Amino acid sequence: MPLTLATDLTEDTGFRILLERHGRAIEFASGRTIYGTGDKDSTMMLITKGRVEISRTSIDGRRSILTHLGAGDMVGELAALDGMPRSADVVAATRVQGLVLTRAQIAALLRDNPEAALGVIETLCRRLRETSAMYTAHVLADGQARLARLLLHLAEKWGEPMPDGRRRLSEKFSQSDLGDLVGLTRESVNRQIREWEQAGIVMRQGRGLVICDLAALLCVAGAAE
Amino acid sequence: MPLTLATDLTEDTGFRILLERHGRAIEFASGRTIYGTGDKDSTMMLITKGRVEISRTSIDGRRSILTHLGAGDMVGELAALDGMPRSADVVAATRVQGLVLTRAQIAALLRDNPEAALGVIETLCRRLRETSAMYTAHVLADGQARLARLLLHLAEKWGEPMPDGRRRLSEKFSQSDLGDLVGLTRESVNRQIREWEQAGIVMRQGRGLVICDLAALLCVAGAAE
DNA sequence: GCTGCGCTGTGATGCACCTCACAGAAGTCG
DNA sequence: CGACTTCTGTGAGGTGCATCACAGCGCAGC
């Protein structure tokens, strides 16, 4: 099972060329909302720099983060492909630069280039597998296992390798972000991480986190399924 | 937000015609496994009769049901479209009849008929929206709200309308099925349903369930988001 | 410098839901 | 028909995690 939610619509589908030729460059300051739930616009963006958070918020203000996407990932493709309203919020987690395509441009590409359509289908299939894997993971695994998986996933996607082979995840994610990513409170995340720290499984380094004992985390993560 | 997980790849995409012309008829007895997680075959099936359950099971035997599909729905399209191993189990919940297409047949259709590809993309987008909605619902809503939503959804998809306008859900779903559909135990489902029965929101009728006070359920369901 | 503000750490308390255990009811198959 | 399996109903007790409350810490800005 792939560990990342990153879309890569760009590989071999003609999208990359289309974007580089016709994409409109755009930039967002950290914290700015890029797309909002319910919005009816239908552009998509290739992220060229920075990191973006995709989330939903319930009536009572609780937030669920679906994923974070970064350079090379596409964001907003759903609305761009099917023309329906946005189904989640997209917020710039850092300063973000990207290239924007409109629904019309994409539709034209798909009509003219059947190969591109096949690539899109493959990407959507991958996303669907990943999302439904997230769903069952959330139903079947407890908080500890979900957090372990999350750390492994984040370390792979965002972490830097360290000289000794361990992985370092720098100061990008607050404990409450981690909580919103796995459906736990900030306090629970804190207690779990401290426990792992005491057990030597992870280490705090400044504001960053280093995964020392990858095998142990894998073991916790794999306890269910 | 649509309440059903049904795929309808058949609308206007040429699939229906292809299936009716080239699909191989097949039949499964109730309880038979149609596709198993990890299988490497890559056929898909249009269900013409009966009901199918899509689920995953964790190492320790806990089951999460993703959805039930019925006549007119496609099942197994992911593996057929992208050629990856099956990511869930598909089991016949009743006697099931269907028409089978192979990956090769689908690939040929998509190559020859760009319109079909657009239809597939739209369908996958819908599925992705629904699946990620399921995910956030599970993260943000409590068991009671999830069960309320489930009953509304099932009543709409599988229930028969009653003379007085209420909706009857007949004997298709055991309480432990309901639990596996929303991530609760059978006991919790039982207690919640009895509570609603006492409140006059639902009624047992033989093995069936009648939703008496739709508004009340909608209210419980909508408490979060 | 001081003043906030967002993040982290930690205890006390509560509750939603699980687990286990068992009994009765209802289909089902010889 | 009786034997068996599956489903339903219900209590007692446990627990994972939320909630609340508050204290310290580090950084940003005036």
Side-chain angles (χ1 to χ4, degrees):
Chain A
M1 176 178 55
L3 272 176
T4 167
L5 267 185
T7 37
D8 195 2
L9 283 177
T10 56
E11 46 182 38
D12 292 13
T13 62
F15 264 109
R16 167 138 282 157
I17 292 157
L18 185 71
L19 274 160
E20 283 172 356
R21 228 173 265 165
H22 303 288
R24 184 170 54 82
I26 197 170
E27 181 167 335
F28 295 91
S30 177
R32 282 289 303 281
T33 296
I34 299 173
Y35 301 126
T37 303
D39 286 1
K40 295 232 173 50
D41 79 300
S42 43
T43 62
M44 69 199 273
M45 180 173 86
L46 170 70
I47 303 169
T48 52
K49 196 166 183 189
R51 187 165 46 94
V52 134
E53 170 189 295
I54 302 184
S55 69
R56 295 191 194 181
T57 304
S58 68
I59 281 183
D60 57 335
R62 284 155 47 85
R63 179 179 66 154
S64 167
I65 301 181
L66 291 167
T67 188
H68 280 218
L69 298 177
D73 294 325
M74 298 290 328
V75 64
E77 2 52 273
L78 276 196
L81 286 168
D82 69 9
M84 304 286 289
R86 303 283 175 197
S87 57
D89 297 323
V90 177
V91 175
T94 65
R95 196 168 70 95
V96 166
Q97 292 171 8
L99 295 168
V100 172
L101 268 196
T102 66
R103 174 159 162 73
Q105 290 175 303
I106 293 155
L109 173 73
L110 291 180
R111 256 194 306 278
D112 301 347
N113 185 351
E115 281 309 303
L118 294 185
V120 169
I121 287 174
E122 204 168 306
T123 300
L124 290 174
C125 285
R126 186 166 65 238
R127 291 265 257 153
L128 209 33
R129 284 170 187 276
E130 290 160 356
T131 306
S132 72
M134 275 175 64
Y135 174 77
T136 47
H138 201 274
V139 174
L140 296 173
D142 65 6
Q144 173 168 310
R146 299 199 308 268
L147 185 57
R149 285 181 201 186
L150 178 70
L151 290 187
L152 292 167
H153 173 176
L154 292 180
E156 175 167 320
K157 182 165 168 96
W158 303 102
E160 307 107 37
M162 291 181 55
D164 53 359
R166 295 181 300 186
R167 282 222 145 226
R168 178 188 157 80
L169 190 58
S170 40
E171 74 272 32
K172 290 163 177 166
F173 298 92
S174 73
Q175 293 180 355
S176 68
D177 285 342
L178 297 180
D180 290 345
L181 275 158
V182 291
L184 293 175
T185 58
R186 187 216 106 221
E187 292 92 326
S188 297
V189 170
N190 182 312
R191 287 184 249 259
Q192 185 59 63
I193 286 183
R194 313 234 88 224
E195 196 176 298
W196 283 336
E197 196 182 358
Q198 243 116 65
I201 296 175
V202 303
M203 260 179 56
R204 322 294 306 289
Q205 205 176 80
R207 311 223 68 62
L209 197 65
V210 180
I211 299 190
C212 302
D213 190 345
L214 204 126
L217 268 195
L218 276 169
C219 173
V220 173
E225 205 248 348
Chain B
M1 178 177 56
L3 271 176
T4 167
L5 267 185
T7 38
D8 195 2
L9 282 179
T10 55
E11 46 180 40
D12 292 11
T13 62
F15 265 109
R16 166 139 281 158
I17 292 159
L18 184 71
L19 273 160
E20 284 172 355
R21 227 173 266 165
H22 303 287
R24 183 170 55 82
I26 197 170
E27 181 166 336
F28 296 90
S30 177
R32 283 287 305 282
T33 295
I34 299 174
Y35 300 125
T37 302
D39 287 0
K40 295 232 173 51
D41 80 300
S42 43
T43 61
M44 69 200 273
M45 179 173 85
L46 171 69
I47 303 169
T48 52
K49 196 165 183 188
R51 187 164 47 95
V52 135
E53 170 188 294
I54 302 184
S55 69
R56 295 191 195 179
T57 304
S58 69
I59 280 182
D60 57 335
R62 284 156 46 85
R63 180 178 64 153
S64 168
I65 302 180
L66 291 167
T67 188
H68 280 219
L69 298 178
D73 294 326
M74 299 290 328
V75 63
E77 8 41 280
L78 276 195
L81 286 169
D82 69 8
M84 303 288 288
R86 303 281 174 197
S87 56
D89 298 323
V90 176
V91 175
T94 66
R95 196 167 71 93
V96 166
Q97 293 172 6
L99 294 169
V100 172
L101 268 196
T102 65
R103 174 159 162 74
Q105 291 174 301
I106 294 154
L109 173 72
L110 291 180
R111 255 194 305 280
D112 301 347
N113 185 350
E115 280 309 303
L118 295 186
V120 169
I121 288 174
E122 205 167 306
T123 300
L124 290 174
C125 285
R126 187 166 63 237
R127 291 265 258 151
L128 207 33
R129 285 171 188 275
E130 289 160 358
T131 306
S132 74
M134 275 175 63
Y135 173 77
T136 47
H138 201 274
V139 174
L140 295 175
D142 64 5
Q144 173 167 311
R146 299 199 309 266
L147 185 57
R149 285 180 201 187
L150 178 70
L151 290 187
L152 292 167
H153 174 177
L154 292 180
E156 174 167 322
K157 180 163 170 99
W158 304 102
E160 306 109 36
M162 292 182 56
D164 54 358
R166 296 182 298 186
R167 282 221 144 227
R168 180 189 156 81
L169 189 58
S170 40
E171 73 272 31
K172 289 162 178 165
F173 298 92
S174 74
Q175 293 181 356
S176 67
D177 284 343
L178 297 180
D180 290 345
L181 275 158
V182 291
L184 293 175
T185 58
R186 188 216 105 224
E187 293 92 327
S188 297
V189 171
N190 183 314
R191 286 185 249 258
Q192 184 60 63
I193 286 184
R194 314 234 87 226
E195 196 177 298
W196 282 336
E197 197 182 359
Q198 242 117 64
I201 296 176
V202 304
M203 260 179 56
R204 322 295 306 289
Q205 206 176 79
R207 311 223 68 61
L209 196 66
V210 180
I211 299 190
C212 302
D213 190 347
L214 205 127
L217 269 195
L218 275 169
C219 173
V220 174
E225 205 251 345

